[in-house]
Amino acid sequence: MPEHAAASRLCFSGLCFLLQILLILLFAVLVRYSPEGSPEPCPPQLNCSHRSQDPNFLQPRFQDVHVQLLLSFGLLVAFLSRYGPGSAAIIILITVFSIQWAVLMQGMLFFFLSGKISVGAQSMVSADFCTAAVLISTGAVLGRVSPVQMLLLALLEVTLGTLHEFILLRLLGVSDSGGSLTVHTFGAYFGLMVSRVLYQPHKDKRKREEQQDKGHHKDVFAVVGTIYLWIFWPSFTSTTAAHHDGENWAVLNSYFSLVASTVSTFILSPVLHEESTPRMVQLQDATLAAVAVMGMAGEMLLTPFGALIAGFLVGLITPLGFRFFTPVLHSKLKIQDTCGVHNTHGLPGVLGALLGTLLTLLATADTFGYRLELLFPLVTQGSRTVTDQALIQLSALLLTLLFATLGGCITGTILKINVPRCCADTQYKESPGLQEVKLGTVGKKGFLGLRQRQGLGIFLQLPPLAAAFR
Amino acid sequence: MPEHAAASRLCFSGLCFLLQILLILLFAVLVRYSPEGSPEPCPPQLNCSHRSQDPNFLQPRFQDVHVQLLLSFGLLVAFLSRYGPGSAAIIILITVFSIQWAVLMQGMLFFFLSGKISVGAQSMVSADFCTAAVLISTGAVLGRVSPVQMLLLALLEVTLGTLHEFILLRLLGVSDSGGSLTVHTFGAYFGLMVSRVLYQPHKDKRKREEQQDKGHHKDVFAVVGTIYLWIFWPSFTSTTAAHHDGENWAVLNSYFSLVASTVSTFILSPVLHEESTPRMVQLQDATLAAVAVMGMAGEMLLTPFGALIAGFLVGLITPLGFRFFTPVLHSKLKIQDTCGVHNTHGLPGVLGALLGTLLTLLATADTFGYRLELLFPLVTQGSRTVTDQALIQLSALLLTLLFATLGGCITGTILKINVPRCCADTQYKESPGLQEVKLGTVGKKGFLGLRQRQGLGIFLQLPPLAAAFR
Amino acid sequence: MPEHAAASRLCFSGLCFLLQILLILLFAVLVRYSPEGSPEPCPPQLNCSHRSQDPNFLQPRFQDVHVQLLLSFGLLVAFLSRYGPGSAAIIILITVFSIQWAVLMQGMLFFFLSGKISVGAQSMVSADFCTAAVLISTGAVLGRVSPVQMLLLALLEVTLGTLHEFILLRLLGVSDSGGSLTVHTFGAYFGLMVSRVLYQPHKDKRKREEQQDKGHHKDVFAVVGTIYLWIFWPSFTSTTAAHHDGENWAVLNSYFSLVASTVSTFILSPVLHEESTPRMVQLQDATLAAVAVMGMAGEMLLTPFGALIAGFLVGLITPLGFRFFTPVLHSKLKIQDTCGVHNTHGLPGVLGALLGTLLTLLATADTFGYRLELLFPLVTQGSRTVTDQALIQLSALLLTLLFATLGGCITGTILKINVPRCCADTQYKESPGLQEVKLGTVGKKGFLGLRQRQGLGIFLQLPPLAAAFR
């Protein structure tokens, strides 16, 4: 049995090696730095002096690293609070492969110039958005899939997600700069469908009990995660907003939405749970939901109170979803949702898209002014009416749900076929999920259980942090 | 009794709900985005092309979210190290209400245009400064007031603080860009007076014993808090500095002050305490004090060694205050100061104001050059001499102390009246303070106490992180 | 004995006091703010309107504080994960003295104008780079030297490092904007030589055993440290890159290198250790190494796949070094390397310099374009051929190794002489290393050991965080 485990470990190691070599070869053949970073001095037709003063141009250059990495790791930290540090390493692995693969995939569709992919700060930000969707999906299945399955899920989702993004943004001309549809809705429903296909009734009951317990152990991560999200989500939502004026609104709207949804948590928590103040994990969920709802509407909202109302309502819906909808999802629809991504990303994303559709319908040249051209260039060019645009935004929501559901089904089925192969043994022995189970058990038994450590070889496999907290 | 607690919880939840609805209504009626983010293209008279290249204009736009949120949460993290994560949720609640209320209050006085409040990055930064003062006051009374009282304190202090800021900055023309007076001094003495009025001798003795014990448990938060403060305090001090050149100085001066005050802690710690290296909490206090002293003087100091000396001295005064003045404050003046805000904000703020007055007195067109106009426009316009300006800066200090003391008295009295009402029961059952008591007790009993957990239902009410650390 | 300890404490406190007073006097005599922050309006010959739009000029102004402090504290957090919070305070002390001394030393050589040192954002960033080298050296000897020795090491290394930097960058015209040579290689080999001279065989064996154990307790810091490094290392590498276009490449190259070296860790970890996923500390090491290798080559690499390959290879070398080279280093060469700086900074720095030499050799006006002038001004001016420049880059590597080795020897010898003096007693009583020993012991004994706490006065000396984690 130990031999088998060793073989499985080496198999996984070899898989990573082959994948990385393949990626390096593809980069060598296909990818070059974009002209904006090229050795040639700025060609006159690019009007560089104008561009370099344009905050819209400068801003991604300066913020790319921050937003890009923190987005991924903000999510990482967010999941840590629910699922413990055992999952940290595997999520970092998913992140680094997803970013590389997304640079290639998105490059093929969005940044392909004369046989080469042009890479720059802009393409890194795009790759980052794509990785965010993958991490959201990961949140739905965490602890029930092996690292190999996780990796396969990431590669498939990046491919499908990029295609989906290309159809929405380029072909249909949908306005979704903050990713309500392309990141939150797509990521959440994709992950939920994968979870549905991989449903295993027996493992399930035990899981949920421990989940109740876990929350208490992870609040230190939730504090850090909430702070990270408050700092970086507004920047994230507004990174690709049409213009630096638009961006300003997207930041402020995201911020007001955050504020209001935090208050909602304080209102509902004493009603739903028998606690006077909400746990930090609940505040973190409210934070995530508040920005998901601003993804599409953030740059369209003309008044602060609109953002306050949207944040307030979504802040009420998220805890209600956790209380009443997640159990239904689980018992009736047989969908396990480890980190509750349906409540924090799926539902808020859908609501954000509906809000965006409504705002599109109300958009007039009077109220939007020059911003109308930036948000809906096809409307000002006269090739569409505002109503057409609103219908397209709405149909984009339906398309996203369809794409995510189908894509999740296909991916789940492929993962299921993949299970008994090569590294199958890692699924139960080495997945972060099982380590978590042990941690959960420790939590329930209390410190009496810990004294049995010397006798229980099993505890030696515990993730390091669990030991640190004992 | 459980029924009563439930009623009290629901009452608090309902209060939050009503407040938030009221705030949304006020926002709907009064608040609009400011012209800089408006749909109209930039009107010619605003000279936008100039403004958008002005770093002073760009900087608040890009940094608003960072500074604004981190300031609040930097403080949050700072308090966590003294008072544990039980207080985190309630401080977040205070923060979100204070920001909303400050946007409204400050908007009425500072950004009121043709019947509407104009909101932009600038007003968010102002609201943030105001919230900082509230959080400082909170630090003085943390653990002795109920959430409802906390909320009332926040709303009253925002109102009075905004009025105070308006009188100082607009009516008197005081130069205080980093908030030595408006944030640190006002916040600290306001909180101390509230603490004085709410003085309860019996609860007190027990408290202080535990406080001794607590410090040892929270150093992990102090490490994180100190790092946050080092990163973001210099930006905070310089956000509203007059000019981007001035700002540069404010950043550098704050930084040199930080460096020197850290050394001071290493000098005094072995003398005052029997420890060779200072605890992280002491380094954090030095960090807070070093920037409070640079609030007013940061943009006035012409040489780095001035900042080094100021930081060095304030770094000596803070630990001396903790050792010799806090006990006097407590036993003689009957003022309990939970987080020691008098030493870290009050005293350094006063010293900073005195230093600013001195520098104003020394200001000449020769040494300050064009900067003189930015710092003291009324002096260069000839309507005041430098001596007048210095006298006004000094009288602003006295006015601040008066305003803070009176305001704190009034607020404390109102809170006292409020105690027996509605959610009174939450005071002892659910305030973070009492949870802290239990945590403290655990700390002293050691792990033997923890084994009794199953038998003690009381521990189920412990804040989640306390459990995580056990 | 307690009296002796008290005397030693006061002696250290007095030393800090004298040093700080001396520094303040030197600052008072020598240091002024640079003209860019001077009271005069911008003189016409400086062409300010151009400069203020130049991102290369703006960027250090805005990012100085962030990069500067986080760099130091990023390293701090990085070491925390290996050596616990007992070392945090002493590292902060080293940081604040190093920064002040580096501002003076570097100012004498780089920013000396008409009898005064000009200080601005630029000089703060330079001082920060120098402090980074000191912190790397600190990592090699942490736990085996007293605070006084640590301080002496910092002052000597800043002096020698500044001289080394001046010879390389000014006299030889070496291109090393990200500090592969001046920060990583110099810092690592300097520290290793000091460690060699201070070698104590008896203390040694015990240490290493505990080190094995420690890793498990500190993963929470490793998670935070890794995130910090991912966020801020790319900015650090690119801060002083020649141009904002070059900077863009340096950021992107660093980022691709980070990604690839993370994958390498996942590939090697299952092969070298019997664990399926790498520990967070290993991921952190990969992160450090990946950016050390990009220090010189970051702005020279023309394609993303070059960065991927470099990162991939260095990511493989680092864990191999920990597994096979560190024991040899220790047993054969008698060099103890507490935090493994040879694998994470020394070797990657050398490899980065070799890669930079190779790229210099390949540099042609065709492939580099206008960038050639920014990277190698002497080549475009015709005073050197590309081959000359490559030879100089290579000889700079040898010079760095020589300088670091000799400097480390001298410093180590001075520290050894210094041991029996003044504060010698602090070495075993109060150094963070010994506290760490106790923490390690606790870890191994498990919770049974903790119950003996009341009986063991020794535990009262444990660093606060250790208590928090129990």
Side-chain angles (χ1 to χ4, degrees), chain A residues 53 55 59 63 216-217 219-220 223 227 230-232 234-235 244-245 247-249 251-253 255-256 259-260 262-263 266-267 270-271 273-280 283 301-305 308-309 312 367-371 443 445-447 451 469, chain B residues 9-10 12-13 16-17 20-21 24 27-28 31-33 36-41 53 58 61-62 64-66 68-70 73 76-77 80 88-90 92-93 96-97 99-100 119-121 124 221 228 430 447 450-451 453-454 464-465 467-470:
Chain A
Q53 288 158 32
Q59 191 258 350
Q63 291 206 319
H216 281 286
H217 291 268
D219 253 32
V220 67
V223 173
I227 293 176
W230 271 68
I231 302 165
F232 294 102
S235 301
H244 76 281
D245 279 329
E247 176 198 44
N248 201 358
W249 282 11
V251 170
L252 293 172
N253 279 326
Y255 189 50
F256 279 118
V259 165
T262 304
V263 174
F266 280 90
I267 293 169
V271 179
H273 312 281
E274 307 211 339
E275 289 164 355
S276 62
T277 48
R279 291 205 227 129
M280 287 305 294
L283 290 175
L301 270 169
L302 296 168
T303 52
F305 78 89
L308 282 176
I309 292 174
F312 187 66
T367 51
F368 274 68
Y370 82 110
R371 182 184 293 264
K445 281 188 190 164
F447 281 81
R451 268 185 275 145
F469 276 142
Chain B
R9 272 205 310 275
L10 293 184
F12 183 59
S13 158
C16 289
F17 183 75
Q20 186 58 38
I21 293 295
I24 289 178
F27 266 79
V31 181
R32 295 294 175 271
Y33 282 125
E36 68 179 16
S38 73
E40 292 85 38
Q53 287 159 30
L58 281 178
R61 297 170 66 96
F62 287 128
D64 51 350
V65 188
H66 294 247
Q68 173 176 357
L69 297 171
L70 272 164
F73 284 111
L76 175 93
V77 173
L80 277 176
I90 207 69
I92 287 178
L93 183 71
V96 293
F97 273 121
I99 285 174
Q100 292 182 79
V119 162
M124 297 302 272
F221 283 112
Y228 267 85
E430 293 154 4
F447 281 80
L450 282 173
R451 269 185 274 145
R453 197 174 68 158
Q454 280 85 350
L465 190 70
F469 275 142
R470 261 180 274 145

Side-chain angles (χ1 to χ4, degrees), chain B residues 202-217:
Chain B
H202 303 298
K203 294 189 66 183
D204 177 46
K205 210 164 190 178
R206 209 178 52 195
K207 284 277 153 197
R208 276 183 60 223
E209 277 164 26
E210 280 129 23
Q211 220 157 326
Q212 306 296 325
D213 193 59
K214 241 174 301 168
H216 281 284
H217 291 268

Side-chain angles (χ1 to χ4, degrees), chain B residues 35-36 38 40-49:
Chain B
E36 68 179 16
S38 73
E40 292 85 38
C42 180
Q45 68 271 20
L46 275 181
N47 194 9
C48 293
S49 66

Side-chain angles (χ1 to χ4, degrees), chain B residues 344-366:
Chain B
T344 52
H345 295 281
L347 218 50
V350 170
L351 293 174
L354 291 175
L355 179 61
T357 305
L358 185 69
L359 290 169
T360 307
L361 205 59
L362 299 173
T364 61
D366 259 15

Side-chain angles (χ1 to χ4, degrees), chain B residues 125-417:
Chain B
V125 171
S126 297
D128 196 35
F129 270 63
C130 200
T131 305
V134 173
L135 289 177
I136 290 169
S137 302
T138 306
V141 296
L142 208 62
R144 290 199 310 279
V145 294
S146 72
V148 176
Q149 285 178 310
M150 206 74 120
L151 212 54
L152 200 59
L153 182 150
L155 298 182
L156 288 170
E157 185 170 355
V158 165
T159 315
L160 288 169
T162 304
L163 190 65
H164 168 247
E165 200 184 330
F166 185 73
I167 292 170
L168 252 61
L169 303 188
R170 282 287 162 93
L171 301 189
L172 295 180
V174 170
S175 174
D176 183 30
S177 69
S180 267
L181 289 176
T182 53
V183 176
H184 298 283
T185 312
F186 182 79
Y189 288 99
F190 190 97
L192 290 172
M193 278 316 294
V194 173
S195 178
R196 172 72 190 82
V197 175
L198 297 180
Y199 181 71
Q200 287 164 311
H202 303 298
K203 294 189 66 183
D204 177 46
K205 210 164 190 178
R206 209 178 52 195
K207 284 277 153 197
R208 276 183 60 223
E209 277 164 26
E210 280 129 23
Q211 220 157 326
Q212 306 296 325
D213 193 59
K214 241 174 301 168
H216 281 284
H217 291 268
K218 302 294 160 31
D219 253 32
V220 65
F221 283 112
V223 174
V224 176
T226 308
I227 293 175
Y228 267 85
L229 289 170
W230 271 68
I231 302 165
F232 294 102
W233 270 115
S235 300
F236 171 58
T237 313
S238 60
T239 305
T240 55
H243 196 265
H244 77 281
D245 279 328
E247 175 198 45
N248 201 359
W249 283 11
V251 170
L252 293 172
N253 279 325
S254 301
Y255 188 50
F256 280 117
S257 174
L258 273 178
V259 165
S261 96
T262 303
V263 174
S264 296
T265 313
F266 279 90
I267 293 169
L268 265 192
S269 173
V271 179
L272 294 179
H273 311 282
E274 308 210 338
E275 289 164 356
S276 64
T277 48
R279 289 206 229 127
M280 287 305 295
V281 170
Q282 291 164 352
L283 290 175
Q284 194 182 39
D285 291 335
T287 310
L288 286 165
V291 187
V293 83
M294 280 296 120
M296 187 191 279
E299 54 177 356
M300 297 177 188
L301 271 169
L302 296 169
T303 52
F305 77 89
L308 281 176
I309 293 174
F312 187 66
L313 292 179
V314 85
L316 294 176
I317 287 166
T318 303
L320 288 172
F322 268 108
R323 184 67 186 264
F324 300 109
F325 193 63
T326 304
V328 172
L329 203 71
H330 180 253
S331 59
K332 294 282 179 303
L333 301 179
K334 294 181 178 171
I335 296 173
Q336 297 155 285
D337 185 1
T338 316
C339 299
V341 297
H342 185 260
N343 303 305
T344 52
H345 295 281
L347 218 50
V350 170
L351 293 174
L354 291 175
L355 179 61
T357 305
L358 185 69
L359 290 169
T360 307
L361 205 59
L362 299 173
T364 61
D366 259 15
T367 51
F368 274 68
Y370 81 110
R371 183 184 292 264
L372 191 67
E373 194 188 332
L374 297 166
L375 286 174
F376 312 115
L378 294 171
V379 172
T380 42
Q381 285 162 29
S383 60
R384 274 182 199 175
T385 67
V386 164
T387 321
D388 289 349
Q389 180 71 37
L391 278 175
I392 286 167
Q393 302 275 123
L394 191 64
S395 62
L397 169 60
L398 300 174
L399 191 70
T400 301
L401 291 174
L402 189 75
F403 224 93
T405 320
L406 276 183
C409 268
I410 296 166
T411 305
T413 314
I414 295 173
L415 294 191
K416 219 169 179 176
I417 296 167

